[in-house]
Amino acid sequence: MQNRKSFKADLENKKGLFLQIGLVLALASVWTAFEWKTYKDGPGSLGDLEMTMDDEEVLVTQRNTPPPPPPPPAPPEVLNIVEDDKVDIDELKMESTEISDDDVFELMEVDVDDGEVFNFVNVENKPVFPGCEDLATEDERFNCFNTKIRQFVGKKFEFPEMAKQMGIQGKVWVSFIIEKDGKVSDITIERGVDKLLDDESLRVVNMLPKMIPAKVGGRSVRMRYSLPINAKLQ
C-alpha cells in the first residue's frame, strides 16, 4: 500500500518543536504570574492631600474703663491785705569789713591748765632736743628730736650681763612727760619685756638732757612722749 502522506504534512516530525514551544510558554506564564504585583487600596490611594491654613483670629477684648474722676477744686486763696502804716520793717544795716591802719587788735590768750598733759599731736610747737634749735621748720626740728633722742638712748643703754646670759631681748616701750621747764618726769614702762631690760630703760631715759618744752598758744605746756627701746642681742 502506498503511503499518501507527505513528509511535510507529517506532524510527528514537529512534535519535539511544539513541545519545546509549549514549555517555554508555560514557564513564561508561571514567571509572569510570580512577578506580577498587585496593591490593595491604602494610603497611596487616598488621593491628593488638600490642606488649607486659616488665619488665626485674635479676639480683641477692649474694656471701656471710665475716666478718673476730676480732682477736687483747690480751696480759694485768701489774701490778707495789710496796710503799710501798720507794719514796721527794720532796715538791715551793712557794716564794712575793711581794715584800716588805725585799727587796734587785741591778742586773745588761750587758757591752758597748768596740770594738763598734752599729746605731741595736739601741741602747736613740739619740744626741741638740744642741737636742733637752728633748724628752719617745725617738722625738721621734730624729726631731729626723734633722731637725737634715739641716738642718746643707744649710746647710754648698757645691756645687762644677766640678760645676755639668759638670752633675754625685746622692745621696751617707755613713756615720760617733758615738763614745762624741759625736764623729764613721770617715767613709766608701758610695755615691758623683763625686769632687767625694763630697769635699764628707765635708767637711760632718766638721763635725758633738758629740752625746750612744747608750747600751745605761745605758753609752755607738759607733753607726754612714748619711746620704743629695742634691746636686741648682737
Side-chain angles (χ1 to χ4, degrees), residues 49-198:
L49 179 62
E50 294 182 359
M51 182 175 181
T52 59
M53 298 294 292
D54 296 334
D55 294 335
E56 183 178 1
E57 295 182 359
V58 179
L59 298 179
V60 179
T61 58
Q62 183 176 1
R63 297 181 180 179
N64 296 325
T65 57
E77 184 178 359
V78 179
L79 299 177
N80 295 326
I81 302 175
V82 181
E83 297 181 1
D84 295 339
D85 55 354
K86 294 183 180 181
V87 178
D88 296 332
I89 300 175
D90 296 333
E91 295 183 357
L92 181 62
K93 296 180 180 180
M94 303 296 294
E95 296 182 357
S96 176
T97 57
E98 295 181 359
I99 300 174
S100 62
D101 297 336
D102 298 334
D103 293 336
V104 179
F105 297 94
E106 294 182 0
L107 296 177
M108 298 179 61
E109 295 184 358
V110 180
D111 294 333
V112 179
D113 186 5
D114 293 338
E116 184 178 2
V117 179
F118 290 81
N119 189 280
F120 74 93
V121 179
N122 300 326
V123 297
E124 297 176 2
N125 300 107
K126 298 176 178 61
V128 181
F129 199 88
C132 303
E133 301 90 346
D134 298 333
L135 296 176
T137 63
E138 181 71 22
D139 292 337
E140 291 177 349
R141 287 191 293 269
F142 188 63
N143 290 334
C144 180
F145 171 86
N146 292 325
T147 302
K148 291 285 186 181
I149 201 169
R150 282 167 173 75
Q151 290 176 352
F152 180 88
V153 173
K155 291 179 181 179
K156 300 296 183 179
F157 191 90
E158 296 178 0
F159 211 100
E161 190 64 29
M162 184 65 69
K164 290 182 181 179
Q165 296 178 4
M166 298 177 64
I168 300 173
Q169 59 181 349
K171 183 178 290 187
V172 182
W173 286 85
V174 184
S175 174
F176 57 89
I177 294 177
I178 302 175
E179 296 289 345
K180 291 189 288 185
D181 58 357
K183 294 182 180 179
V184 175
S185 67
D186 193 19
I187 307 171
T188 57
I189 299 295
E190 290 185 350
R191 188 188 308 168
V193 177
D194 184 81
K195 189 176 185 305
L196 296 173
L197 299 181
D198 296 348

